[in-house]
Amino acid sequence: MTPFHLRIARPVTDLQRSYEMYHRGLGLEKIGEFKDHQSFSGIMMGHSNFAWHLEFTVCHSHPVKPQPSAEDLLVLYLPDGEKWQRICDNAAAAGFTCVASFNPYWDVSGKTFSDRDGYRVVLQNRAWV
C-alpha cells in the first residue's frame, strides 16, 4: 500500500496569530506558505520528518468563520512526561486555553487546549501503539 502524507486544512481568522500560537506553543515549523492565490492566503506547519502537516487559510474575498465542534480534535501523543509538561506549559504561554474535554477519556492522560478560533488540540501523555 502507498503511504500517504496527511494535510489538515483549517480556515482561521488571523494567519499570523495562528502561526505564532502553533509555533511557540507546539513547536511546529512553517514548511510552506502562499499569499493571495485566487483570494486565499495560507501557511503550512509541521516538521520535515512528519507524515502530516496543518494548513491554515484565510479567504480574502469571502472570509470563512471557523466552526469547530468540541469533538474536532488534533491529538498529539507525547509519551515523555517532562517533554509533555513542557509543551503543555508552552501551549498555555502561547495563548492556548486549557479546557475540559467533551469526551472525558482525553482528560485521563492528557490535556485539551483550545486555540483562539476554537480548534482543540489534545496533548496526550501516552505513546501511540
Side-chain angles (χ1 to χ4, degrees):
M1 175 166 202
T2 303
F4 291 95
H5 183 95
L6 173 68
R7 174 186 285 186
I8 300 168
R10 293 178 164 175
V12 296
T13 55
D14 185 321
L15 274 179
Q16 188 62 31
R17 180 181 68 196
S18 294
Y19 163 75
E20 289 176 12
M21 286 183 76
Y22 282 78
H23 177 68
R24 288 182 39 230
L26 303 179
L28 299 180
E29 300 170 3
K30 185 186 296 184
I31 58 173
E33 69 181 309
F34 55 93
K35 294 183 184 196
D36 204 18
H37 176 72
Q38 298 178 331
S39 294
F40 284 86
S41 293
I43 297 175
M44 282 74 80
M45 299 192 71
H47 194 275
S48 60
N49 64 354
F50 289 177
W52 60 272
H53 69 271
L54 298 176
E55 175 189 45
F56 298 121
T57 62
V58 294
C59 180
H60 304 291
S61 60
H62 300 292
V64 175
K65 180 182 176 189
Q67 296 182 347
S69 76
E71 275 293 276
D72 240 338
L73 305 173
L74 173 67
V75 180
L76 303 175
Y77 290 85
L78 301 155
D80 181 295
E82 288 181 22
K83 185 175 185 178
W84 173 80
Q85 186 60 59
R86 185 172 58 251
I87 293 175
C88 287
D89 294 343
N90 290 348
F96 285 89
T97 303
C98 191
V99 296
S101 182
F102 180 74
N103 180 339
Y105 169 81
W106 297 115
D107 292 332
V108 174
S109 296
K111 288 185 180 180
T112 302
F113 293 88
S114 178
D115 72 13
R116 297 221 174 126
D117 286 313
Y119 294 112
R120 291 181 175 212
V121 176
V122 177
L123 298 177
Q124 190 70 351
N125 189 206
R126 290 187 173 168
W128 171 255
V129 288

